[in-house]
Amino acid sequence: MIFARRSGLPGVDAENPIALTVTGRVSRAVVPDLCAELERALAGPRGAALAPGAAVDCDVGAVVRPDLTLVEAVARLALVARRSGRTLRLRRVPPELRSLLDLVGLADVVALDEDPGERVPDAR
């Protein structure tokens, strides 16, 4: 599982300087690290530059086998974003993750990018 801040994603508004990328299989052990990374990004100068209510992008297009652990990670990341007055917007959301978010009622809590974009093939 890899996660990183990126300076930009294809199709991301240049005024949004924060983009978190999550790849691979997400385990419960890395969820606190993801949240800490987002907290650091939001507390830094780039986070301070965001307007109140601005969206923080999270690219999940290269996640392998979306499951409820990933849903938990998304929920916790959304909480971190909301605590700082921002919202979480998921980019390149796999259909499986969209279904899980709908099933647990989180599709209304996080913004889902309507353009699924290019998916990275599963590395199974």
Side-chain angles (χ1 to χ4, degrees), residues 1 11 14-15 25 34 36 50 56 68 76 79 87 90 94 97 112 118:
M1 204 294 303
E15 292 182 16
R25 182 142 177 128
L34 283 169
L50 287 176
V56 174
L68 289 177
R76 291 181 61 186
L79 281 173
T87 60
L90 298 180
L97 180 56
L112 300 177
E118 293 182 30

mmCIF file of all heavy atoms in Angstrom, residues 1 11 14-15 25 34 36 50 56 68 76 79 87 90 94 97 112 118:
data_model
loop_
_atom_site.group_PDB
_atom_site.id
_atom_site.type_symbol
_atom_site.label_atom_id
_atom_site.label_comp_id
_atom_site.label_asym_id
_atom_site.label_seq_id
_atom_site.Cartn_x
_atom_site.Cartn_y
_atom_site.Cartn_z
ATOM 1 N N MET A 1 0.852 -1.159 0.000
ATOM 2 C CA MET A 1 0.000 0.000 0.000
ATOM 3 C C MET A 1 0.896 1.219 0.000
ATOM 4 O O MET A 1 1.807 1.320 0.785
ATOM 5 C CB MET A 1 -0.864 -0.051 1.241
ATOM 6 C CG MET A 1 -2.160 0.695 1.214
ATOM 7 S SD MET A 1 -2.181 2.458 1.113
ATOM 8 C CE MET A 1 -1.231 2.941 2.497
ATOM 9 N N GLY A 11 -6.946 16.581 -14.356
ATOM 10 C CA GLY A 11 -8.326 17.002 -14.149
ATOM 11 C C GLY A 11 -8.593 17.658 -12.812
ATOM 12 O O GLY A 11 -9.728 17.964 -12.496
ATOM 13 N N ALA A 14 -6.236 23.536 -10.325
ATOM 14 C CA ALA A 14 -4.923 24.012 -9.884
ATOM 15 C C ALA A 14 -5.005 24.778 -8.570
ATOM 16 O O ALA A 14 -3.999 24.941 -7.885
ATOM 17 C CB ALA A 14 -4.296 24.882 -10.959
ATOM 18 N N GLU A 15 -6.184 25.260 -8.200
ATOM 19 C CA GLU A 15 -6.323 25.990 -6.942
ATOM 20 C C GLU A 15 -6.386 25.060 -5.740
ATOM 21 O O GLU A 15 -6.390 25.509 -4.611
ATOM 22 C CB GLU A 15 -7.564 26.872 -6.992
ATOM 23 C CG GLU A 15 -7.423 28.004 -7.983
ATOM 24 C CD GLU A 15 -8.636 28.905 -7.984
ATOM 25 O OE1 GLU A 15 -9.434 28.831 -7.031
ATOM 26 O OE2 GLU A 15 -8.780 29.668 -8.939
ATOM 27 N N ARG A 25 -3.313 -2.418 -1.722
ATOM 28 C CA ARG A 25 -4.331 -2.919 -0.805
ATOM 29 C C ARG A 25 -4.213 -2.156 0.513
ATOM 30 O O ARG A 25 -3.140 -2.071 1.093
ATOM 31 C CB ARG A 25 -4.135 -4.405 -0.578
ATOM 32 C CG ARG A 25 -5.190 -4.977 0.316
ATOM 33 C CD ARG A 25 -5.604 -6.337 -0.125
ATOM 34 N NE ARG A 25 -6.575 -6.854 0.809
ATOM 35 C CZ ARG A 25 -7.723 -7.325 0.453
ATOM 36 N NH1 ARG A 25 -8.030 -7.372 -0.813
ATOM 37 N NH2 ARG A 25 -8.562 -7.781 1.336
ATOM 38 N N LEU A 34 -2.488 7.182 7.004
ATOM 39 C CA LEU A 34 -3.173 7.987 5.994
ATOM 40 C C LEU A 34 -3.775 9.245 6.618
ATOM 41 O O LEU A 34 -3.635 10.345 6.088
ATOM 42 C CB LEU A 34 -4.287 7.177 5.325
ATOM 43 C CG LEU A 34 -3.879 6.143 4.287
ATOM 44 C CD1 LEU A 34 -5.072 5.253 3.941
ATOM 45 C CD2 LEU A 34 -3.359 6.824 3.046
ATOM 46 N N ALA A 36 -2.885 10.707 9.431
ATOM 47 C CA ALA A 36 -1.813 11.587 9.883
ATOM 48 C C ALA A 36 -1.215 12.365 8.709
ATOM 49 O O ALA A 36 -0.911 13.552 8.835
ATOM 50 C CB ALA A 36 -0.729 10.779 10.599
ATOM 51 N N LEU A 50 -5.935 26.720 1.262
ATOM 52 C CA LEU A 50 -7.255 26.282 0.808
ATOM 53 C C LEU A 50 -8.352 27.157 1.399
ATOM 54 O O LEU A 50 -8.306 27.513 2.572
ATOM 55 C CB LEU A 50 -7.530 24.836 1.231
ATOM 56 C CG LEU A 50 -6.781 23.745 0.502
ATOM 57 C CD1 LEU A 50 -7.104 22.399 1.129
ATOM 58 C CD2 LEU A 50 -7.124 23.722 -0.966
ATOM 59 N N VAL A 56 -10.486 18.432 -0.664
ATOM 60 C CA VAL A 56 -9.176 17.808 -0.698
ATOM 61 C C VAL A 56 -9.344 16.561 -1.553
ATOM 62 O O VAL A 56 -10.231 15.738 -1.299
ATOM 63 C CB VAL A 56 -8.716 17.424 0.721
ATOM 64 C CG1 VAL A 56 -7.424 16.647 0.678
ATOM 65 C CG2 VAL A 56 -8.594 18.653 1.582
ATOM 66 N N LEU A 68 -14.187 -3.205 2.955
ATOM 67 C CA LEU A 68 -14.673 -2.359 4.045
ATOM 68 C C LEU A 68 -13.552 -1.661 4.802
ATOM 69 O O LEU A 68 -13.776 -0.624 5.418
ATOM 70 C CB LEU A 68 -15.546 -3.171 4.999
ATOM 71 C CG LEU A 68 -16.908 -3.574 4.415
ATOM 72 C CD1 LEU A 68 -17.672 -4.448 5.399
ATOM 73 C CD2 LEU A 68 -17.724 -2.350 4.054
ATOM 74 N N ARG A 76 -12.666 7.875 7.764
ATOM 75 C CA ARG A 76 -11.765 8.577 8.683
ATOM 76 C C ARG A 76 -11.081 9.759 8.011
ATOM 77 O O ARG A 76 -10.895 10.809 8.625
ATOM 78 C CB ARG A 76 -10.765 7.590 9.276
ATOM 79 C CG ARG A 76 -11.484 6.619 10.234
ATOM 80 C CD ARG A 76 -10.592 5.625 10.882
ATOM 81 N NE ARG A 76 -9.561 6.276 11.694
ATOM 82 C CZ ARG A 76 -8.583 5.603 12.279
ATOM 83 N NH1 ARG A 76 -8.508 4.288 12.155
ATOM 84 N NH2 ARG A 76 -7.671 6.234 12.982
ATOM 85 N N LEU A 79 -13.494 12.558 7.962
ATOM 86 C CA LEU A 79 -13.561 13.214 9.270
ATOM 87 C C LEU A 79 -12.403 14.189 9.466
ATOM 88 O O LEU A 79 -12.593 15.295 9.967
ATOM 89 C CB LEU A 79 -13.552 12.171 10.391
ATOM 90 C CG LEU A 79 -14.870 11.472 10.671
ATOM 91 C CD1 LEU A 79 -14.664 10.351 11.680
ATOM 92 C CD2 LEU A 79 -15.900 12.459 11.183
ATOM 93 N N THR A 87 -13.682 19.400 2.705
ATOM 94 C CA THR A 87 -14.403 18.179 2.351
ATOM 95 C C THR A 87 -13.448 17.250 1.616
ATOM 96 O O THR A 87 -12.438 17.683 1.063
ATOM 97 C CB THR A 87 -15.615 18.467 1.446
ATOM 98 O OG1 THR A 87 -15.155 19.098 0.248
ATOM 99 C CG2 THR A 87 -16.632 19.341 2.144
ATOM 100 N N LEU A 90 -13.260 12.092 -3.656
ATOM 101 C CA LEU A 90 -12.584 10.920 -4.198
ATOM 102 C C LEU A 90 -12.502 11.017 -5.713
ATOM 103 O O LEU A 90 -13.482 11.352 -6.375
ATOM 104 C CB LEU A 90 -13.316 9.642 -3.797
ATOM 105 C CG LEU A 90 -13.401 9.359 -2.300
ATOM 106 C CD1 LEU A 90 -14.154 8.057 -2.065
ATOM 107 C CD2 LEU A 90 -12.013 9.302 -1.676
ATOM 108 N N PRO A 94 -13.165 3.256 -8.105
ATOM 109 C CA PRO A 94 -13.548 1.998 -8.734
ATOM 110 C C PRO A 94 -15.029 1.705 -8.484
ATOM 111 O O PRO A 94 -15.574 2.081 -7.442
ATOM 112 C CB PRO A 94 -12.682 0.954 -8.033
ATOM 113 C CG PRO A 94 -11.628 1.703 -7.298
ATOM 114 C CD PRO A 94 -12.153 3.083 -7.071
ATOM 115 N N LEU A 97 -15.848 0.197 -5.093
ATOM 116 C CA LEU A 97 -15.837 1.136 -3.965
ATOM 117 C C LEU A 97 -17.084 2.008 -3.977
ATOM 118 O O LEU A 97 -17.674 2.263 -2.926
ATOM 119 C CB LEU A 97 -14.576 2.002 -3.994
ATOM 120 C CG LEU A 97 -14.450 3.025 -2.857
ATOM 121 C CD1 LEU A 97 -14.541 2.359 -1.492
ATOM 122 C CD2 LEU A 97 -13.155 3.812 -3.002
ATOM 123 N N LEU A 112 -17.899 12.331 -4.716
ATOM 124 C CA LEU A 112 -17.358 11.364 -5.666
ATOM 125 C C LEU A 112 -17.208 12.037 -7.005
ATOM 126 O O LEU A 112 -18.163 12.628 -7.519
ATOM 127 C CB LEU A 112 -18.279 10.151 -5.795
ATOM 128 C CG LEU A 112 -18.524 9.349 -4.521
ATOM 129 C CD1 LEU A 112 -19.519 8.230 -4.783
ATOM 130 C CD2 LEU A 112 -17.226 8.785 -3.989
ATOM 131 N N GLU A 118 -9.117 7.270 -15.922
ATOM 132 C CA GLU A 118 -8.445 6.025 -16.250
ATOM 133 C C GLU A 118 -8.209 5.221 -14.991
ATOM 134 O O GLU A 118 -7.751 5.730 -13.989
ATOM 135 C CB GLU A 118 -7.100 6.311 -16.913
ATOM 136 C CG GLU A 118 -7.208 6.935 -18.264
ATOM 137 C CD GLU A 118 -5.838 7.150 -18.877
ATOM 138 O OE1 GLU A 118 -4.909 6.363 -18.579
ATOM 139 O OE2 GLU A 118 -5.705 8.088 -19.657
#
